[in-house]
């Protein structure tokens, strides 16, 4: 036998010890139910480590890069790399992005993935408040050269971007098929894949993306039929579905069939002039947007926005627009997207009146212009719901069905990003309140704002707006304008806006103080000047998620400001008043640090009023004045029916709705049926000598403040006919002088009348004689408020007729006491004499300024009607 030839041993792959990162990644695939032999091979060390780097899988290369980082794996000396030191959610995020970049032939630098190309992040979504998660990945090649466009396949690892809302890889050279499992169903809203070379069927799993609003698949090589699962989304959230469904080519057939009518919102041509696939194209042409109808199957898919009614709608919008329709003709504009949505909307709701059409178009334009898909709250927006039910929108309901008028848009701190579209203000003539504070709005305030002839409150603070239009001065109805913390570049406040200070404009705030002032405005114009914080403070103070707790401007002046060295200042330059108010604040002064809170607005008004000079002698009265102003701002005072002299320099005892005072202390406050709206501010309890408080028949909601128990002199409390919820506070049982308590016709559910209140019924003739509540027991043995028969003397139910209080029905007279238990009128003259004598003694006044002192307690006791 011949001597056997020696053999060469096969190369031995390097020894590999699995670390914690590799183990975690493999477990992550399994946890989402996506194990496969191919994926295992992509991360198999025995397979990948022996390949040249250029042939290694994107998954292995991404893992290798991550394993070298000292912020993911424990790389300390002696460690076995057996522990992770980064949040697992962020690890998967980094891994997914790295695999994506490698797969499509692009790169990134640095450790912070939120700074990588095309990435946008949002805070507060991870394990900790400062953790950021990827919400948008935009790498469109529309404006780049062919050489810089992405090339390759979309990796399945995109499924690890748990909070991804937007993916835009349009106008590139993406190939391969689309796997429906690569997108998380909960958050995805915009999937923009047009103008690539993606082939195969459109995956039915895309129908699981329950919040999907826009899907563009046109100018690709998809074939077959749009899945019915996607068509079903068209009746819910999917407003835009763009595919190659226009019949074209020699066979006069579409590349992609739409199985049911109105499934595809816009059909594009899927073929070029030679009958071949039309892919990798640029922005759609006019012909593509409006493909010809000739030769189309009568029952086949019809292209969108082309029929006569829709062209009439477009013509109407173009004629009404300030630019003559230029924006709406641009298929990439917010205006066109709003129009395309409106076309779909009117198909299912053809009964809209013209004002409603304009109103819905205006709101939709705002949504698309300010990146509505990434708003913090966007419930019901651009849906078939009544626009009055869209998040932040309030309406005035008119007598004519279908003619509800939008009067308020409240989108404060909602991550609006972009420019305010002129259509919003142009087509919303009934707006009274517009609040876009604490967002990321840029560009000028639209000059079309002059169309808002009914606007009363404009809150645009803490954005990046660049100019204040002179047309703002045309709004004679406006009372509050907040413009601080913007980028107005040192412009002068338009003179027409300053002229409004002689009309209804009581609050005008801007960054008009200091060398870095962005607005030139003196104390005769701006009611409060702020000094912009240094740029580095703005950067470090920014949360990165479009919201903040109040901003970094420093307030400077009030309505009657003085000027020193051309810097407007107010009477609280040493912060003494603010310190006093914070002393009494139940939240420790947090609300007074929020420049958009009712408390801060009341303080800003207060320090500009003449009454602020009382701080040195009578700060009990000062705190009461502050409390009254807080009620005005906190309960929508601009919309009250009666408000004469409110926020004037007159004594609060002269303000309308104040029925009686002792000295300068309010004893009877009677704003019933006055359109008060909001939660009762606890500051109302700073009106310490109240004997009667009538808040009947308003729109007060939320709980009754437990601090009501501090109103030691209160004899009559009327809260009926509101929307109050929660439990009835037992602290009301501390009001030993209370005679009448009305809590009926509210929204209390499943609560009981506290025993402390019922105990007041046992005080004989001096105790609680009248107690009304929603304690009527229904046929099922249920009641809103459980109350013993010996406690509540009048019970109401869901079907009860509303009565203001005992002895009076729907039209009560303006009396200060009900006839049921009106006590003997106090000796007002003697009370006034007592107050006058005390006011002449500076030492006594100083003692009474401390509400914790025995002197103050004695004064309250002596000043009450039953003791004097």
């Amino acid at each position: 036998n011949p001597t056997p030839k020696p053999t060469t041993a096969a190369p031995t792959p390097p020894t590999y010890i699995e670390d914690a990162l590799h183990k975690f990644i493999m477990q992550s695939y399994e946890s989402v139910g996506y194990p496969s032999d191919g994926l295992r091979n992509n991360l198999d060390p025995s397979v990948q480590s022996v390949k040249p780097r250029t042939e290694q899988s994107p998954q292995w290369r991404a893992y290798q890069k991550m394993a070298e980082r000292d912020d993911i794996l424990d790389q300390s000396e002696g460690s076995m790399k057996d522990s992770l030191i980064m949040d697992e959610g962020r690890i998967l995020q980094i891994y997914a992005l790295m695999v994506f970049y490698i797969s499509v032939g692009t790169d990134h630098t640095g450790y912070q993935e939120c700074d990588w190309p095309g990435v946008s992040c949002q805070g507060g979504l991870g394990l900790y408040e400062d953790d950021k998660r990827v919400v948008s990945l935009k790498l469109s090649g529309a404006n780049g050269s062919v050489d810089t466009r992405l090339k390759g396949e979309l990796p399945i690892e995109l499924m690890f971007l748990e909070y991804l809302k937007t993916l835009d890889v349009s106008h590139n050279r993406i190939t391969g098929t689309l796997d429906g499992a690569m997108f998380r169903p909960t958050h995805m809203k915009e999937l923009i894949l047009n103008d690539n070379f993606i082939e195969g069927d459109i995956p039915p799993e895309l129908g699981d993306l329950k919040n999907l609003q826009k899907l563009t698949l046109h100018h690709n090589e998809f074939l077959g039929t749009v899945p019915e699962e996607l068509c079903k989304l068209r009746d819910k959230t999917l407003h835009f579905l763009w595919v190659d469904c226009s019949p074209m080519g020699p066979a006069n057939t579409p590349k992609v069939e739409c199985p049911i009518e109105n499934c595809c919102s816009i059909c594009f041509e899927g073929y070029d002039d030679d009958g071949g696939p039309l892919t990798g194209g640029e922005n759609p042409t006019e012909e593509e947007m409006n493909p010809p109808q000739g030769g189309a199957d009568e029952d086949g898919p019809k292209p969108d926005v082309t029929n006569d009614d829709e062209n009439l709608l477009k013509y109407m919008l173009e004629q009404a627009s300030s630019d003559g329709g230029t924006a709406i003709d641009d298929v990439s504009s917010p205006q066109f997207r709003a129009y395309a949505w409106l076309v779909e909307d009117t198909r299912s709701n053809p009964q809209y009146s013209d004002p409603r059409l304009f109103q819905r178009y205006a709101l939709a334009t705002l949504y698309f212009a300010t990146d509505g898909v990434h708003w913090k709250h966007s419930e019901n927006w651009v849906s078939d719901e009544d626009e009055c039910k869209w998040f932040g929108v309030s309406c005035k309901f008119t007598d004519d069905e279908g003619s509800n008028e939008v009067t308020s848009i409240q989108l404060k701190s909602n991550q609006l990003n972009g420019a305010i579209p002129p259509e919003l203000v142009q087509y919303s003539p009934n707006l009274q309140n517009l609040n876009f504070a604490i967002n990321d709005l840029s560009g000028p305030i639209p000059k079309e704002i002059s169309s808002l002839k009914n606007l009363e409150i404009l809150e645009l603070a803490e954005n990046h707006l660049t100019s204040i239009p002179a047309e703002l001065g045309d709004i004679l109805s406006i009372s509050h304008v907040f413009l601080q913390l913007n980028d107005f570049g040192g412009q002068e406040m338009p003179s027409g806006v300053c002229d409004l200070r002689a009309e209804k404009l009581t609050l005008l705030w801007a960054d008009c103080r200091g060398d870095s002032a962005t607005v030139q405005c003196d104390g005769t114009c701006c009611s409060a000047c702020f000094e912009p914080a240094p740029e580095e403070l703005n950067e470090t103070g920014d949360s990165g998620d479009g919201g903040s707790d109040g901003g970094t401007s420093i307030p400077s002046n009030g309505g009657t400001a003085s000027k020193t060295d051309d810097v407007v200042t107010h009477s609280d330059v040493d912060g003494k008043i603010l310190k006093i108010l914070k002393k009494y604040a139940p939240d420790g002064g947090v609300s007074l640090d929020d420049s958009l809170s009712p408390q801060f607005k009341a303080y800003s008004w207060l320090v500009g009023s003449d009454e602020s000079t009382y701080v040195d002698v009578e700060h009990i009265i000062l705190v009461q004045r502050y409390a009254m102003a807080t009620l005005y701002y906190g309960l929508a005072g601009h919309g009250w029916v009666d408000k004469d002299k409110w926020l004037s320099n007159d004594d609060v005892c002269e303000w309308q709705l104040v029925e009686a005072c002792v000295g300068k202390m309010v004893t009877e406050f009677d704003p019933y049926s006055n359109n008060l709206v909001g939660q009762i501010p606890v500051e109302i309890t700073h009106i310490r000598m109240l004997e009667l408080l009538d808040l009947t028949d308003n729109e007060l909601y939320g709980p009754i403040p437990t601090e009501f128990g501090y109103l030691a002199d209160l004899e009559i409390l009327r809260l009926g006919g509101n929307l109050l919820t929660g439990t009835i506070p037992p602290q009301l049982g501390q009001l030993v002088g209370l005679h009448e308590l009305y809590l009926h016709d509210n929204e209390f559910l499943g609560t009981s009348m506290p025993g402390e209140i019922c105990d007041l019924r046992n005080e004989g003739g001096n105790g609680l004689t009248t107690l009304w509540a929603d304690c009527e027991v229904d046929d099922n043995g249920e009641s809103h408020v459980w109350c013993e028969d010996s406690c509540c003397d009048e019970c109401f139910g869901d079907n009860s007729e509303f009565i203001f209080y005992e002895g009076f029905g729907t039209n009560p007279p303006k009396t200060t006491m009900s006839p049921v238990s009106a006590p003997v009128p106090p000796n007002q003259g003697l009370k006034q004499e007592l107050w006058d004598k005390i006011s002449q003694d500076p030492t006594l006044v100083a003692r009474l300024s401390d509400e914790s002192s025995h002197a103050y307690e004695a004064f309250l006791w002596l000043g009450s009607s039953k003791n004097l």
Side-chain angles (χ1 to χ4, degrees):
N1 294 329
T3 304
K5 296 180 179 179
T7 60
T8 303
T12 303
T15 303
Y16 177 81
I17 301 175
E18 185 177 34
D19 58 34
L21 176 60
H22 189 274
K23 184 181 297 183
F24 168 67
I25 292 175
M26 294 301 296
Q27 290 173 347
S28 298
Y29 282 110
E30 295 175 1
S31 67
V32 295
Y34 209 89
S36 70
D37 292 339
L39 283 174
R40 290 191 180 93
N41 286 336
N42 288 337
L43 284 165
D44 187 340
S46 64
V47 175
Q48 298 296 328
S49 60
V50 297
K51 292 183 178 181
R53 181 171 178 77
T54 55
E55 297 179 11
Q56 291 175 345
S57 70
Q59 291 78 5
W60 178 258
R61 291 168 61 186
Y63 155 69
Q64 289 284 73
K65 281 188 174 183
M66 295 175 67
E68 295 170 358
R69 288 176 50 161
D70 56 8
D71 61 338
I72 295 178
L73 268 175
D74 183 3
Q75 307 273 14
S76 59
E77 184 176 354
S79 71
M80 300 295 293
K81 297 185 178 182
D82 56 356
S83 62
L84 300 172
I85 58 176
M86 180 184 285
D87 170 51
E88 292 181 350
R90 188 182 171 202
I91 292 176
L92 282 180
Q93 176 169 278
I94 293 172
Y95 175 68
L97 287 173
M98 283 188 171
V99 173
F100 169 77
Y101 287 130
I102 296 170
S103 298
V104 297
T106 190
D107 205 355
H108 65 278
T109 57
Y111 276 15
Q112 298 302 317
E113 67 275 17
C114 292
D115 295 332
W116 292 352
V119 173
S120 296
C121 293
Q122 179 179 326
L125 299 177
L127 186 61
Y128 304 103
E129 187 63 29
D130 57 349
D131 283 347
K132 294 183 178 181
R133 293 292 181 261
V134 174
V135 295
S136 177
L137 183 55
K138 296 182 179 181
L139 286 170
S140 174
N143 298 317
S145 66
V146 174
D147 294 337
T148 61
R149 292 179 180 174
L150 308 180
K151 306 177 185 67
E153 299 185 14
L154 295 179
I156 190 64
E157 284 72 19
L158 288 172
M159 65 183 174
F160 292 135
L161 297 178
E162 182 178 0
Y163 295 96
L164 189 65
K165 298 179 182 179
T166 297
L167 176 66
D168 183 357
V169 291
S170 61
H171 298 277
N172 283 294
R173 303 180 70 81
I174 303 296
T175 57
T177 59
L178 189 63
D179 192 327
M182 68 176 58
F183 308 114
R184 289 294 183 97
T186 305
H187 299 286
M188 181 61 70
K189 293 184 177 182
E190 290 187 317
L191 190 51
I192 305 173
L193 305 175
N194 56 282
D195 294 277
N196 280 289
F197 295 89
I198 307 173
E199 59 188 3
D201 294 331
I202 299 173
E205 292 86 354
L206 295 181
D208 297 332
L209 305 180
K210 59 184 180 181
N211 290 310
L212 190 63
Q213 298 179 10
K214 183 176 183 180
L215 176 61
T216 64
L217 302 174
H218 58 287
H219 292 169
N220 273 288
E221 298 192 35
F222 291 112
L223 298 173
T225 303
V226 175
E228 291 190 9
E229 291 85 349
L230 266 179
C231 295
K232 291 178 181 178
L233 282 183
R234 293 280 287 130
D235 295 328
K236 298 176 182 177
T237 60
L238 187 56
H239 311 305
F240 302 96
L241 176 56
W242 297 1
V243 295
D244 294 327
C245 52
S246 177
M248 292 295 292
N252 199 35
T253 58
K255 281 178 67 175
V256 178
E257 295 277 357
C258 294
I260 58 176
E261 187 176 3
N262 297 332
C263 175
C264 303
S265 60
I266 294 185
C267 283
F268 289 79
E269 298 178 8
Y271 299 89
D272 61 21
D273 293 337
D274 299 323
L278 178 61
T279 56
E282 302 303 326
N283 288 326
T285 65
E286 182 67 23
E287 289 75 23
E288 290 172 325
M289 293 306 303
N290 299 283
Q293 298 293 302
D297 185 355
E298 185 65 22
D299 297 323
K302 296 178 176 59
D304 200 345
V305 294
T306 56
N307 67 44
D308 291 341
D309 290 338
E310 290 152 4
N311 282 337
L312 180 61
L313 172 61
K314 187 176 182 182
Y315 176 79
M316 183 173 67
L317 296 174
E318 287 175 336
Q319 292 302 305
S321 66
S322 57
D323 66 355
T326 300
I328 204 172
D329 288 333
D330 178 0
V331 297
S332 64
S333 70
Q335 289 79 4
F336 177 82
R337 295 177 67 185
Y339 161 63
W341 168 79
L342 190 62
V343 168
E344 293 297 310
D345 186 47
T346 53
R347 285 177 176 171
S348 56
N349 298 282
Q351 77 284 1
Y352 289 140
S353 63
D354 285 355
R356 285 287 302 281
L357 284 174
F358 279 109
Q359 186 168 267
R360 289 175 73 82
Y361 172 68
L363 292 171
T365 304
L366 170 69
Y367 179 85
F368 292 117
T370 58
D371 198 18
V373 72
H374 292 122
W375 287 0
K376 187 181 297 183
H377 296 286
S378 58
E379 292 83 354
N380 291 333
W381 275 76
V382 288
S383 72
D384 58 3
E385 285 280 3
D386 189 311
E387 62 270 27
C388 299
K389 297 180 180 179
W390 295 5
F391 175 83
V393 176
S394 299
C395 293
K396 173 185 177 182
F397 295 93
T398 63
D399 294 335
D400 299 330
E401 186 176 352
S403 299
N404 300 331
E405 301 169 349
V406 173
T407 58
S408 175
I409 304 176
Q410 298 277 344
L411 294 174
K412 171 186 173 183
S413 190
N414 202 47
Q415 297 174 206
L416 277 67
N417 184 356
I420 302 173
E423 289 79 8
L424 174 70
V425 293
Q426 188 177 3
Y427 302 146
S428 306
N430 300 298
L431 265 181
Q432 299 174 10
N433 192 333
L434 184 61
N435 188 347
F436 289 163
I438 318 179
N439 282 291
D440 199 18
L441 296 173
S442 55
I445 300 173
K447 65 181 186 301
E448 290 83 359
I449 199 169
S450 59
S451 302
L452 301 179
K453 299 301 184 184
N454 298 303
L455 190 66
E456 297 180 4
I457 297 180
L458 179 64
E459 301 201 39
L460 299 176
E462 298 191 51
N463 282 285
H464 300 285
L465 300 169
T466 55
S467 70
I468 305 168
E471 288 80 0
L472 183 59
D474 296 336
I475 308 177
L476 301 181
S477 60
I478 203 159
S479 61
H480 302 148
V481 177
F482 304 107
L483 301 173
Q484 72 273 20
L485 269 175
N486 275 287
D487 301 328
F488 295 124
Q491 80 162 96
E492 290 189 12
M493 184 66 69
S495 59
V497 178
C498 295
D499 292 342
L500 294 178
R501 295 280 282 134
E503 303 292 335
K504 296 183 178 180
L505 185 56
T506 57
L507 293 181
L508 175 58
W509 295 6
D511 291 331
C512 45
R513 181 186 180 202
D515 296 336
S516 58
T518 63
V519 176
Q520 302 302 314
C521 186
D522 62 25
T524 63
C525 180
C526 289
S527 62
C529 273
F530 293 74
E531 182 174 2
E535 186 65 30
E536 59 270 19
L537 287 182
N538 284 331
E539 292 174 358
T540 58
D542 184 7
S543 66
D545 60 359
S548 75
D549 292 326
T552 51
S553 280
I554 305 168
S556 174
N557 74 296
T560 55
S562 59
K563 288 186 68 179
T564 304
D565 299 329
D566 294 326
V567 175
V568 187
T569 59
H570 58 60
S571 59
D572 195 28
V573 292
D574 59 358
K576 191 172 184 179
I577 295 176
L578 186 61
K579 184 177 180 181
I580 291 171
L581 298 182
K582 285 190 172 184
K583 174 183 175 182
Y584 296 116
D587 62 0
V590 173
S591 55
L592 281 161
D593 291 330
D594 180 353
S595 64
L596 296 171
S597 69
Q599 291 79 6
F600 183 86
K601 293 175 185 177
Y603 162 68
S604 181
W605 168 80
L606 183 67
V607 295
S609 69
D610 293 338
E611 295 293 314
S612 63
T613 58
Y614 291 165
V615 65
D616 293 324
V617 291
E618 300 176 49
H619 84 244
I620 298 172
I621 297 174
L622 183 76
V623 172
Q624 173 183 261
R625 192 171 179 83
Y626 160 74
M628 297 287 280
T630 302
L631 288 181
Y632 182 88
Y633 289 114
L635 299 178
H638 63 282
W640 289 1
V641 178
D642 297 323
K643 54 184 175 182
D644 187 42
K645 294 190 177 182
W646 277 76
L647 302 189
S648 71
N649 282 331
D650 290 340
D651 191 293
V652 296
C653 294
E654 301 297 322
W655 292 6
Q656 196 171 12
L657 308 173
V658 175
E659 298 297 324
C661 285
V662 172
K664 293 187 176 181
M665 299 299 292
V666 176
T667 57
E668 297 174 6
F669 183 43
D670 199 9
Y672 72 78
S673 299
N674 203 51
N675 202 30
L676 277 64
V677 180
Q679 296 193 50
I680 302 174
V682 295
E683 285 76 11
I684 196 172
T685 58
H686 293 337
I687 312 173
R688 285 295 175 87
M689 291 186 65
L690 272 178
E691 296 173 1
L692 180 146
L693 177 61
D694 189 349
L695 299 174
T696 309
D697 190 31
N698 286 291
E699 294 186 47
L700 304 175
Y701 55 84
I704 300 173
T706 58
E707 289 81 0
F708 268 24
Y710 297 147
L711 296 174
D713 289 328
L714 198 61
E715 298 174 1
I716 296 178
L717 177 59
R718 299 179 182 140
L719 300 175
N722 283 287
L723 304 168
L724 298 171
T725 56
T727 59
I728 299 170
Q731 288 82 354
L732 295 180
Q734 300 171 15
L735 306 179
V736 295
L738 193 64
H739 298 309
E740 301 179 22
L741 177 58
Y742 299 91
L743 302 173
H744 60 296
D745 197 22
N746 275 288
E747 300 294 328
F748 300 116
L749 291 175
T751 187
S752 299
M753 187 64 65
E756 292 85 346
I757 296 177
C758 294
D759 289 343
L760 295 177
R761 301 278 285 166
N762 303 319
E763 297 293 330
N766 294 323
L768 185 62
T769 59
T770 304
L771 176 56
W772 289 8
D774 296 325
C775 47
E776 183 177 277
V777 179
D778 61 21
D779 295 338
N780 297 319
E782 301 289 336
S783 68
H784 294 293
V785 178
W786 290 101
C787 190
E788 298 290 341
D789 293 341
S790 59
C791 183
C792 293
D793 57 329
E794 192 72 41
C795 284
F796 294 78
D798 292 336
N799 298 319
S800 300
E801 180 183 358
F802 176 66
I803 302 175
F804 274 73
Y805 47 85
E806 190 163 332
F808 297 96
T810 57
N811 294 298
K814 276 287 186 180
T815 59
T816 58
M817 294 285 179
S818 84
V820 178
S821 59
V824 178
N827 188 332
Q828 296 288 354
L830 189 56
K831 274 193 173 184
Q832 186 65 54
E833 182 181 354
L834 171 67
W835 179 261
D836 290 343
K837 287 184 179 296
I838 290 175
S839 300
Q840 294 171 10
D841 187 336
T843 303
L844 195 51
V845 167
R847 293 286 304 280
L848 290 174
S849 296
D850 182 3
E851 291 193 8
S852 64
S853 68
H854 297 306
Y856 179 75
E857 293 180 16
F859 167 74
L860 291 181
W861 174 83
L862 188 60
S864 66
S865 59
K866 59 181 177 289
N867 295 318
L868 186 60

